[in-house]
Amino acid sequence: MSDRTGARGPYARGVARRQEIVHAALEVFATRGYDAVSLREIAAQVGLSHTGLRHHFASKEDLLTAVLRYKDELTLTPDEQVDVSGIAWVRASRDVVALNARQPLLIRLFATLSVQATDPAHPAHTYFVERYRIAREIATRHLAQARDDGDIAADVDAEHCAELMLAAMDGLQVQWLLEPDRVDMVAAYGQFLDRFLAVLAVPLPEDGGTAQR
Amino acid sequence: MSDRTGARGPYARGVARRQEIVHAALEVFATRGYDAVSLREIAAQVGLSHTGLRHHFASKEDLLTAVLRYKDELTLTPDEQVDVSGIAWVRASRDVVALNARQPLLIRLFATLSVQATDPAHPAHTYFVERYRIAREIATRHLAQARDDGDIAADVDAEHCAELMLAAMDGLQVQWLLEPDRVDMVAAYGQFLDRFLAVLAVPLPEDGGTAQR
DNA sequence: GTCTATACGCGGATAGAC
DNA sequence: GTCTATCCGCGTATAGAC
């Protein structure tokens, strides 16, 4: 088999082109937004025709998916292999929210596509299904560890709590993006962690959660 | 001033046309999705030219906004002026989630637009800002009442909790839409209510939520 | 106010050059 | 495999009929 990824392989030009396109697209998508940029413009910027670009990326969504994947690598590779785990990891998620609060355009890009990719026919569907699945697994693992460490209640459903953590992040993002000055995403998520984890620290009442007086 | 809304007013035809268009659009948007339907098709269905339709609705998003507004009226008018309030209202929100779980296409429609409308230049921006503002106010009011009734802790930030309730709903919707068979939206939200309200029932620990052992 | 014809750039699909 | 020319329906903008 020939070397598809090597710099001097037979398909080296194509690989380089793809990289070039993804770079240009990331730059312009993050700066001006997905809808505001046309494929023809990106193509011209890298010295290609509209159809030439679409040889490498079958659709605009396909290109966007590649851009997001690339962005994922950029953000996850450097560190993120942090040494925190269990309850410490859960608490550290607050920092992720705080970081997101500084990149509204990119966050909107992810949020927009994640909802649209909900359609099974969407080009990025598989990507986002996998992305959330992995995120849930990681969160579930740390929550389970926190439970085993005795940091939260023993009867906690780690999977449901993992879903809720991601849901709180995503949902707060929408409200924050709509009214950045009015909705304090970081504070609300912090309250979620504090209160939610506090209740996690004690077993549920026998009646299943009815408020006490 | 002339009667703009009456059935026999001078602009009655336009009002009737708008209604007709909204009806047709709601039907076809909810059935086949927003992107899959063209304005030309809707126009033809109500006996109008493409441009004729755009006289009544300046853009496709504009029409969608009208459709969603109409859908809001349909769902909110019948009852929903339920007699529950305070903690009972909060618990009843679980039924709303359960209801949503039966209308995936419409939920995706709302979810998609709510994220896109995050852009201040989006035609539906004002609509969604107002929609979430009202939803937060209602939730905040009931949470505050629950607090005053002694059903939840006295130091609860009702506004932040209101944001979290809406966020949990929205965020869970995305994960559920991505993998309906794998993510149990209703169960996860139920757990959110149970655990979150349980912790709300007791004051926060002095250290601000650090897990107890 | 109600409505139409025409033109623009867009994302996408097809056929084919090299 | 890499890339282009051409055509399609789309949402949108403008000029104008009635």
Side-chain angles (χ1 to χ4, degrees), chain A residues 91-126:
Chain A
R91 294 194 184 287
S93 66
R94 191 177 183 278
D95 300 332
V96 176
V97 175
L99 179 66
N100 288 343
R102 304 202 165 274
Q103 306 183 331
L105 252 173
L106 212 56
I107 291 303
R108 173 152 62 203
L109 215 58
F110 268 95
T112 304
L113 198 61
S114 65
V115 177
Q116 291 176 330
T118 266
D119 185 346
H122 196 282
H125 181 70
T126 306

Side-chain angles (χ1 to χ4, degrees), chain A residues 108 177-180, chain B residues 65 69 113-133:
Chain A
R108 173 152 62 203
L177 286 170
L178 275 172
E179 295 191 275
Chain B
T65 300
R69 228 183 270 272
L113 197 63
S114 65
V115 177
Q116 291 176 329
T118 266
D119 185 346
H122 196 283
H125 182 70
T126 306
Y127 167 71
F128 273 96
V129 166
E130 197 62 25
R131 192 173 195 267
Y132 272 95
R133 194 174 293 179

Side-chain angles (χ1 to χ4, degrees), chain A residues 36-97:
Chain A
V37 184
S38 71
L39 290 184
R40 283 167 172 84
E41 178 185 343
I42 299 176
Q45 193 172 329
V46 299
L48 268 180
S49 72
H50 167 223
T51 329
L53 188 151
R54 294 193 68 252
H55 165 70
H56 297 288
F57 299 97
S59 69
K60 193 180 183 183
E61 305 276 11
D62 194 30
L63 171 58
L64 182 52
T65 299
V67 167
L68 296 181
R69 228 183 270 271
Y70 176 65
K71 184 66 177 68
D72 269 354
E73 289 175 14
L74 284 186
T75 36
L76 295 181
T77 299
D79 37 45
E80 193 70 15
Q81 199 62 20
V82 205
D83 55 346
V84 298
S85 65
I87 193 69
W89 181 90
V90 176
R91 294 194 184 287
S93 66
R94 191 177 183 278
D95 300 332
V96 176
V97 175

